Amino acid sequence: MAVRLDLSARTAPAEVTIASAATCDLGAAGSDRIVITGSNAIASFGTAANRRIRLRWAGSVTVTANPASLVLSGGADITTSPGDIWHVESDAAGNWRMIGCELAALAPGGADGGIF
């Protein structure tokens, strides 16, 4: 028996916007595609379990690394740039880890081009 999978009607979920704050609860945003606006520093993405989220940054925000609950590439705080895209996921305990990023300054046609 052959199974046919039709992906032609599949669309990406809508982006939702949340403002930067000390805690940005990604799990409460209602989408797995989020735009973060504002310039307030972020120390937590909340505690939603087993989620994978795509973040698009609308401004420059400092995100504070935490070796247990917010693991960032390089283990240090990161300041975002407008247009950066991060891919993050949480574990069963709600601890977040950055699993990839696309830096606006390195986008195709930019100075260096590339995805991390």
Side-chain angles (χ1 to χ4, degrees):
M1 175 163 127
V3 176
R4 203 172 140 189
L5 182 60
D6 181 5
L7 298 177
S8 63
R10 183 181 165 125
T11 59
E15 284 185 325
V16 298
T17 301
I18 61 175
S20 62
T23 297
C24 282
D25 190 354
L26 302 183
S31 178
D32 62 0
R33 295 169 49 94
I34 300 170
V35 178
I36 297 184
T37 62
S39 59
N40 295 313
I42 297 173
S44 171
F45 287 153
T47 57
N50 302 314
R51 299 289 304 272
R52 183 170 282 185
I53 305 283
R54 175 190 180 269
L55 300 174
R56 183 168 56 86
W57 300 92
S60 295
V61 176
T62 298
V63 183
T64 304
N66 179 304
S69 62
L70 186 51
V71 179
L72 302 177
S73 296
D77 299 352
I78 297 175
T79 300
T80 67
S81 293
D84 286 355
I85 295 173
W86 288 15
H87 302 275
V88 297
E89 68 181 9
S90 63
D91 61 20
N95 298 310
W96 291 91
R97 175 176 300 274
M98 178 184 205
I99 59 172
C101 68
E102 302 165 39
L103 303 178
L106 301 178
D112 296 318
I115 297 175
F116 293 90

